[in-house]
Amino acid sequence: MPTRSDPVGNTGTSAPAGPPHGVAKPGVALSAVAAVACAAQFMVVLDSSIVNVALPSMKSGLGLSTGAQQWVVNGYLVAFGGLLLFASRAGDLFGRRRVFHTGLVVFSAASLVGGLAQDGWVLLAARIVQGAGAAALAPSSLSLITAGHTDPARRTRAMTWWGVAASSAGAAGIVVGGLLASVSWRWVMLVNVPIGVGLLIAGLLCLAPTATGRRRSRIDLPGAVAVTLSAAAVVYGVSAAPEAGWAAARVVGALVAGVVLLAVFVVVERRSDEPLIPPGVFSVANVRMGNVLTLCLGAVITAPLFFLSLYLQQVLGQSAVRTGLSLLPMVAVVSLGVFVSQRLIRLFSARRLVVVGGIVAAAGLAWLGRLPVRSAYVGHVLPPTVVVGAGTSLIMMPAIVAATSGIDPRDAGVASGLINMCRQLGAALGLSALVTVATTVTRHSSGPGDAAVVHGYRVAFYALAALSLLGAALALLLRTAQDDEGRTRAPDAA
C-alpha cells in the first residue's frame, strides 16, 4: 500500500478514503462528532482555568491553607495526567464511546459534590475525582477526531478546532471564573454539571459503539497505578519542600518513592502483554519530541495564569471579575494564535514555528519578571501577557500534530493520552516546582511584605522564560517534510 508524509514529515500508511472508523451513528455527520469532541475538551480545559481566579474565594470560604490552595489545582492535574494513559488505553481496548460517557458521568458528579462541599478535604477529593473524569474525556475526545477523520486535510482542520476549543476555554474560564466567583466560588464547580449532562445526551445521540476487536484484552492496571502514584509523589515532594525543607524525611521519601515508582512503571510496561504505551508508539521520533515539547508547554501555559491571578488579586487588590478581564487578552491571543499557527504550518515548518514561539514566549515571560510591586495594568501587565500568549500559541498546534502523526489508528487513543498526559503533568510538576522557587525566594528576601512576594514571582517568571527557551532548543530536533524536501507538504486545512 502506498505511503505519504504527514505535516511534520513522518511517513505512515495512507488511510483509505472510506467511512471513518465507526465513530458516528448512521446518518450522523462526522462534523457533529467533531463538535461533541471539541465541546468535551472545552469543558475539561475550562475547569482547569476557571479555578485559578476563584482560588482566593475558595481559600477564605473553606479556610484552606496555602498548601491546600495549591492542591486545588494540582490535585486535578495529577489525577488528570496520571490516569490519562490508563483511560486512553481503555478507550482503544473497550470502546471510545464507553470511556467518553463514563468520563462525563464521573466529571459531572464530582463537580456537583465539589460545588456543595462544606469542608476543604471534600473539595480537594472532588477535584481529584474530577481529574479522573477529565482523564477519560480528553484522550477519547481527541481520538474520536484522529480515528474518525481519515482524510489528512479534514483531520488537521478538526484537530485545529479541537485546539481552538481548548485554548478558547482558557479565555472563557478566566472571565466566567471571575464572574461566578464574585457571586460564590461554588458556581465555579457547579457550572460543569449542565454542560456535562448536555454532552452526555449529545454523545448518546451521535456516537456509535467503537468496534475495537480487542475486548478480551487485559488492561495494564498495575502500570496505571504506578505512573499515577509516581507523579503524585513527585508533585507532593516538591510542593512540600518550602515548608518542611528539602532534607525533611517526608520530602526526600516522596521524591525517592516517585523515582522508584517510575522505574516500576517501566518494568511493568516491558513485561505487560497489553502495555499502556505500545512499543511502536515511541518508535516515531517526532512523537517523542512532540510529547517533550508538550511537557514544557504545560508549565509555560499554566504557571503564568496561576501567578498572575495571585499577583492581581492578593498584591494589587483587584476583584475576581477584574482579574478575569485583565487576563482575558492573553488567553484570547492564544485562542486566535492556535488557529493562525495551523495555517502557518503550510508556509513554515513545524520546527521553525516552535523555535520562534518558544523565543517569543520567553521574551514575554522575562518581561513579566520585571513586574513592580505597584503596577499599571496597561504599562506592566497587558503587553508582556499578550507576548506570552502569542508565543505559546505558535507552539501548541505543531506539537499536537507532531505527537499524533504516524500512529496506527488502533493506538489513536494512547497517542492522544500521551500528549494530554504530558501537558497536564508538565503543568502540575512545573507549577509545584515554580511555587517552591517563588516561596523559597520570598522567605529569603529582605524586602517587606508584598515586595518579597513579588520578588518570588519575578524569579518564577525568569525560570519559565528559561524553560521556554529550552523548548525552542529541543524543537531543533524535529524533522519536517519542509526541511526534507524544501517545500510545504502540510495538508491544506482551509
Side-chain angles (χ1 to χ4, degrees), residues 107-156:
F107 190 93
S108 302
S111 298
L112 179 62
V113 172
L116 299 177
Q118 299 298 320
D119 297 296
W121 71 268
V122 177
L123 175 62
L124 295 180
R127 287 289 289 168
I128 293 172
V129 177
Q130 263 191 320
L137 284 174
S140 56
S141 69
L142 183 55
S143 64
L144 286 172
I145 292 175
T146 56
H149 293 70
T150 56
D151 176 71
R154 294 185 66 184
R155 184 177 71 168
T156 301

Side-chain angles (χ1 to χ4, degrees), residues 67-250:
Q69 185 182 23
Q70 178 186 343
W71 273 93
V72 171
V73 177
N74 275 345
Y76 178 85
L77 294 176
V78 168
F80 190 174
L83 291 172
L84 271 168
L85 286 178
F86 176 80
S88 59
R89 201 60 182 153
D92 286 337
L93 295 176
F94 307 120
R96 298 180 189 95
R97 188 183 73 161
R98 180 178 297 178
V99 173
F100 183 79
H101 289 164
T102 301
L104 282 173
V105 171
V106 172
F107 190 93
S108 302
S111 298
L112 179 62
V113 172
L116 299 177
Q118 299 298 320
D119 297 296
W121 71 268
V122 177
L123 175 62
L124 295 180
R127 287 289 289 168
I128 293 172
V129 177
Q130 263 191 320
L137 284 174
S140 56
S141 69
L142 183 55
S143 64
L144 286 172
I145 292 175
T146 56
H149 293 70
T150 56
D151 176 71
R154 294 185 66 184
R155 184 177 71 168
T156 301
R157 182 164 57 247
M159 287 174 62
T160 299
W161 283 112
W162 187 86
V164 169
S167 54
S168 62
I174 292 295
V175 177
V176 174
L179 291 172
L180 294 177
S182 66
V183 179
S184 171
W185 65 263
R186 298 184 183 279
W187 286 106
V188 170
M189 300 288 289
L190 295 175
V191 71
N192 295 312
V193 178
I195 299 175
V197 172
L199 278 174
L200 182 61
I201 295 172
L204 291 171
L205 294 175
C206 297
L207 303 181
T210 305
T212 63
R214 295 190 288 183
R215 289 188 178 275
R216 295 183 180 179
S217 300
R218 296 180 59 189
I219 197 165
D220 183 13
L221 182 58
V225 172
V227 72
T228 304
L229 293 181
S230 173
V234 172
V235 171
Y236 173 78
V238 173
S239 61
E243 178 182 352
W246 286 99
R250 63 183 172 122

Side-chain angles (χ1 to χ4, degrees), residues 30-420:
L30 198 57
S31 58
V33 174
V36 171
C38 290
Q41 183 66 4
F42 182 92
M43 183 177 71
V44 168
V45 178
L46 179 76
D47 202 69
S48 299
S49 63
I50 199 173
V51 169
N52 281 296
V53 181
L55 285 174
S57 300
M58 291 178 171
K59 180 180 180 179
S60 60
L62 294 177
L64 299 177
S65 65
T66 301
Q69 185 182 23
Q70 178 186 343
W71 273 93
V72 171
V73 177
N74 275 345
Y76 178 85
L77 294 176
V78 168
F80 190 174
L83 291 172
L84 271 168
L85 286 178
F86 176 80
S88 59
R89 201 60 182 153
D92 286 337
L93 295 176
F94 307 120
R96 298 180 189 95
R97 188 183 73 161
R98 180 178 297 178
V99 173
F100 183 79
H101 289 164
T102 301
L104 282 173
V105 171
V106 172
F107 190 93
S108 302
S111 298
L112 179 62
V113 172
L116 299 177
Q118 299 298 320
D119 297 296
W121 71 268
V122 177
L123 175 62
L124 295 180
R127 287 289 289 168
I128 293 172
V129 177
Q130 263 191 320
L137 284 174
S140 56
S141 69
L142 183 55
S143 64
L144 286 172
I145 292 175
T146 56
H149 293 70
T150 56
D151 176 71
R154 294 185 66 184
R155 184 177 71 168
T156 301
R157 182 164 57 247
M159 287 174 62
T160 299
W161 283 112
W162 187 86
V164 169
S167 54
S168 62
I174 292 295
V175 177
V176 174
L179 291 172
L180 294 177
S182 66
V183 179
S184 171
W185 65 263
R186 298 184 183 279
W187 286 106
V188 170
M189 300 288 289
L190 295 175
V191 71
N192 295 312
V193 178
I195 299 175
V197 172
L199 278 174
L200 182 61
I201 295 172
L204 291 171
L205 294 175
C206 297
L207 303 181
T210 305
T212 63
R214 295 190 288 183
R215 289 188 178 275
R216 295 183 180 179
S217 300
R218 296 180 59 189
I219 197 165
D220 183 13
L221 182 58
V225 172
V227 72
T228 304
L229 293 181
S230 173
V234 172
V235 171
Y236 173 78
V238 173
S239 61
E243 178 182 352
W246 286 99
R250 63 183 172 122
V251 173
V252 175
L255 295 176
V256 170
V259 174
V260 171
L261 286 166
L262 182 60
V264 169
F265 171 70
V266 173
V267 172
V268 169
E269 290 299 282
R270 289 181 175 178
R271 296 182 178 180
S272 176
D273 294 331
E274 286 287 349
L276 292 178
I277 307 177
V281 171
F282 274 135
S283 64
V284 183
N286 275 349
V287 172
R288 297 193 300 268
M289 189 50 56
N291 279 285
V292 172
L293 291 173
T294 304
L295 191 71
C296 297
L297 187 63
V300 172
I301 289 179
T302 302
L305 290 174
F306 179 87
F307 286 114
L308 285 169
S309 177
L310 297 182
Y311 172 76
L312 292 171
Q313 293 185 76
Q314 297 182 353
V315 176
L316 299 186
Q318 290 189 3
S319 66
V321 174
R322 187 176 176 184
T323 296
L325 294 175
S326 297
L327 296 178
L328 177 59
M330 174 182 172
V331 287
V333 168
V334 173
S335 302
L336 178 63
V338 168
F339 189 77
V340 173
S341 69
Q342 182 272 327
R343 294 179 175 270
L344 290 177
I345 296 178
R346 294 183 293 155
L347 304 175
F348 308 98
S349 68
R351 178 171 67 187
R352 289 172 183 152
L353 286 181
V354 175
V355 170
V356 172
I359 294 173
V360 171
L365 290 164
W367 195 349
L368 285 172
R370 299 175 59 85
L371 280 176
V373 177
R374 295 290 176 259
S375 67
Y377 172 72
V378 175
H380 300 102
V381 178
L382 177 60
T385 54
V386 169
V387 173
V388 173
T392 54
S393 70
L394 291 178
I395 304 172
M396 190 179 303
M397 189 62 193
I400 291 175
V401 172
T404 56
S405 298
I407 297 294
D408 189 305
R410 293 175 303 173
D411 295 321
V414 74
S416 304
L418 271 173
I419 193 169
N420 278 286

